[in-house]
Amino acid sequence: MEFDVVVVGAGPAGLAAAISIKQRAAARGEEVSVVVVEKGAEVGAHILSGAVIDPAGLDALVPDWRQDDARPLSTPVREDRFLHLTEAGGSRVPGFLMPKLLHNDGAFIGSLGNVCRFLATRAEALGVEIYPGFAATEVLYDAAGAVTGIATGDMGIARDGHHKAEFTRGMELHARYTLFAEGARGSLSKQVIARYELDAGRSPQKFGLGIKELWQIAPDKFESGLVQHSFGWPLDNRTGGGSFLYHFEDHFVAVGFVVHLDYSNPTLSPFEEFQRFKTHPMIRDTFAGGKRIAYGARAITEGGWQAVPKLVFPGGALVGCAAGFVNVPRIKGSHNAILSGMLAAEAVDQALAEGRSHDTLTPYEEGWRDSPVGRDLKPVRNVKPLWSRFGTRLGIALGGADMWSNTLFGWSPLGTLAHRKRDCDSLKPLSEVTPIAYPKPDGVLTFDRLSSVFLSNTNHEEDQPSHLRLADPDIPVTQNLPRYGEPARLYCPAGVYEIVYGDEAAKSDPRFVVNAQNCVHCKTCDIKDPARNITWVPPEGGGGPVYPNM
C-alpha cells in the first residue's frame, strides 16, 4: 500500500504528527495520504502515563479542545505537594523552594490513553487512516539506504515456526516519509538509531521504569485536583526515583512509582519498592476503603537534552519519546511529544509541497532545540546527571540550584553535564551489595505481580514465537545468575522471568523460564539486562495490555 506518510505508533506524538500534516496540507489546498499503525488492540491500549498534562501541546494542535464535549481532560490541578519521605515519617518541601517550572499551574490531571483516543477521533475526521492491532516489525529501505516505509508482522505463526491455518502475511506500507513514534525504546526506532548512528556524539540515553495503579477511593479521602510527589523512602540515597499521586475525575487516584534504571543493587525490585511505598504512614490512609482497578508499567526516557539523538535520516524521523523528550524533574513528556510531532509535520509538509521524497528532513533537526521543546528541556538538563552522581539528597539540592540558575539567569555554571554510562552497565555483583528482603503482600494495599498483571488486561496468543529474544539462552543461568542473581526476575514488573530449580531445596539444576504471555510491553528487559542478551520485539498485533484509561 502506498501513502505519502506512514506513522508508527498512535501515541500523542504520532497522532499529533498525523493531524498536523493533514491540517497543513488542507491549508495549502492539497490532499495527502497519512496512515498510522498501532500495535495495541485499540488506540490507547498501550498508553500509560501519570498523568499531569501540560496543555501546551493540545492548545497548539487543537485549540478548541476545551470546548469539545468529548474533551479528555476535565480536572485542573488545584494544589501541588512535594514530600521528602523517611522510613518513619517525612516532611513537606515548601513550594517557594521549587523553581517555577516545576509548578503545575494550568495543568490538568487525566488519562493519556483517553487523550490519545480523543486525538485519534480528530485525526480520522481529517482523513487519517488508523490501523490498530497491526505491529510494525520491519523497516523498509531502498537501494540508496533511505527508509521507504515499514512492514507489519505476519500473523498466525506457531511457536515452532510453522504456519497455522489462520496464517496471514504482513503488509508493506510504502511512504515518501516515515515517522517513528513508538515511545521509549521502540523496537524499530532502535534499529534506525543504530543503522544511521543517530546517537553519535550524544550522551547515552537514560531510562526509568514507571509503575502505576489506578484506584477509586472513598469520598472522604478524595481531594480533586491534588498533585503530590515524593522522593526518598523506600529507596536508599544512591537509588534515584520517586512517587506520584494524583486525584482526578470520579474519585480516582493515579498512584505510581518511578525507579531510575541506573540503580546498582541487583536484588532491588521496582515493583516491590512501589508496593512498600504505599505502606508509608503519610500515604497509606489515602487508600483506606478504596479499590484498585487497574495496573500497568512502562519504561520512560530520562536522558533529556544531551541524550536526544539526531532526529532525522533519509526518508524519516523520530518523534516523541522515541527521541526522548521527557522533562524528568517535571515528570512530563506528553506536551513535548505533541509539539515534536507538530515540528516534524512542518518539515514533512514542506518536503511534500516541494515534491520531495525519501530525503532528510533537515529543518526538524535544526529547529527543535530553539523550539518550545528545546526551551523546556534545556533548563533541566543537569538534574538527572547530578542525581546519578551525587545521590538523592545532594543531587536533588544541586539540581534545584542549577534549575534556579537557569530560571533566573538563563545559564548554568556547570554547562551541560554528560551521562556517564548506560543503565545496563550500572549493576554491582551480588558480592558487593546488601540483599533487599521484601515483605509479603497483604492483598488489600499491597499485591503480587501476577494479580497485578491480571488488572492490565494483558493477553497474547500463546502459540506464537516468543517476542522476548535471547541472543544466548545460556547466559541467564551461566553468567547472570551467579554474578547478579539473575536480575530479570526482579526488575520485570510482570513476572515474565523466573529461575526454576530442578531441586528447589538444594537450589540445583536451574532453568531460566520466560513467561512471555505476561509481558506488559514496558521494555525494561531490553534496557537493563547486564549482558544485553534480551531483545524485545513486537508480538502479534493486538497482543499485550489493554489499558482502559491509564
Side-chain angles (χ1 to χ4, degrees), residues 521-535:
H521 299 199
C522 73
K523 315 289 182 69
T524 304
C525 56
D526 197 290
I527 297 164
K528 187 61 176 173
D529 179 36
R532 300 189 295 280
N533 188 48
I534 303 174
T535 298

Side-chain angles (χ1 to χ4, degrees), residues 337-361:
I338 292 172
L339 293 170
S340 71
M342 295 176 69
L343 286 171
E346 183 178 7
V348 168
D349 180 69
Q350 179 183 340
L352 295 178
E354 295 172 358
R356 293 157 37 206
S357 298
H358 306 142
D359 61 353
T360 302
L361 299 167

Side-chain angles (χ1 to χ4, degrees), residues 224-265:
S224 181
L226 172 62
V227 168
Q228 181 173 290
H229 296 107
S230 76
F231 66 98
W233 191 88
L235 301 177
D236 63 30
N237 186 55
R238 294 302 308 177
T239 304
S243 77
F244 60 86
L245 194 152
Y246 308 145
H247 295 237
F248 69 109
E249 292 180 8
D250 184 18
H251 302 101
F252 290 135
V253 163
V255 58
F257 205 80
V258 177
V259 175
H260 299 177
L261 288 178
D262 56 3
Y263 67 83
S264 61
N265 189 332

